[in-house]
Amino acid sequence: MTTTARAGARGNPWVAVRPGDDVAELARTVSAAHRSFVEGADTRTGGPGAGASVRPVVFDSWVRSRDRGVNPRSVGDGDPLGGVELGGYRAAHPMALVRPVVRRLLVEDVADTGLLVAISDAAGRLLWVEGDSGAKDRAVAMHFVEGADWSEDRVGTNAPGTALAVDQCVQIFGAEHFSAAVHDWSCSAAPVHDPTSGRILGAIDITGGPEVAQPQVLALVRATVAAAEAELRLRLLNSPRLLGAQAPGLATPGSAAPRLAVLGSGRPTLIRGGDRIPLSRRHAEILLLLAQHAEGLSGDQLSVLLDEAELDAVTIRAEMSRLRKVFGADGLGSRPYRLLVDLDTDVDEVRRALEAGDAAAALAAYRGPVLPGSDAPGVEEIREQVRARMQAALLRSGEQPLLARWTATPDGRGDSAAWAAYLSSIDPRSPMYDQVRARIAILDEQLGG
């Protein structure tokens, strides 16, 4: 089967290697597509043919990874959660309830097979990594270890992180990983859900060689997830509040405060303990505005910040009532509307790095514009402030790698000043110099037209 035919072939889009595929040829094709994407033109689709040569789920994940500033040449969490903190966190986590099922169905059979079995929380934090001892030793080099953050936001395309990002079982084969450091590995993962509420609790993953990308391995992972969810359902019959009482009390690793994620093109999310709670755009707007105004906002003030036409008081009260059901009634006050608990945001993370003068950390945390789909005046102001501060910090730094990453982001692609600074940092003898100069010429033409 040819590459183009395969990319458009019908079948399970979540399976990486299909019956009849030549694994060696597939590896070469995907590797070439990855190289084209990473080193290609500064367009939404990467290099020529990159999108046609890989599955849509992989290509979409590559785009998200690039737009969020993930480095395709390195991977992993250099400072994983560990020791007593990790032990306490995972012991209290709902995924601890299904670990015996996972061990019985998967872990006990993978000794001396070169395979690893990992259990993560809903945010992509690896709680347990078990299996073949030699494989565990090799996986240390890419920081695939207990306590490490393997979310798609942190390391790019990978089975557990991408499964959580799209809420689907998925396989990632070799160079389909966004990070080149993981190209020798393949993995199959699926999310685990609370059988009552449907919220994601975590993920189960098998990692190893190319054989892990076969359909039967994904079927095995899905069967294990089904058994795990059945175990949870059985436990809930005897303890109906087991998950509901346990999960909200979990502390986010390293922080007791809930966290609001509003940067980039993904759906805004409230991260609380091991939970990732999707938010409507309006609820994310309200929480972000309240987080920026610790003194609180009156109904009229909030209305003006949310809509140029100004929302009426009844609409504001209705939105706040719905938000209390998501965020918790104890966390929101009224008269004025205000937060009664600490709420960290990814916007605050960027600002802290900027205030510390660390442009590299700020860019790593900056995964895209603030709520890019929002036209709320208050949000637009925050969005522009953060973008302008990011641009200023990067121009001051003049560091070529940072400017290269910034000009590949949605904000940086049309940033003429950043492109000019990037060009001035490149050796004129480098092939990249001509590429960047050509991009500047295109921008000049677009702006002039």
Side-chain angles (χ1 to χ4, degrees), residues 351-373:
R351 286 173 171 161
R352 287 192 293 267
L354 290 172
E355 289 165 3
D358 192 341
L363 185 56
Y366 187 81
R367 296 181 173 87
V370 177
L371 289 174

Side-chain angles (χ1 to χ4, degrees), residues 12 25 38 57 68 157 200 206 316 406:
N12 188 340
E25 180 186 359
V38 170
V57 62
R68 293 169 186 174
T157 309
I200 297 176
I206 297 180
I316 292 292
W406 174 249

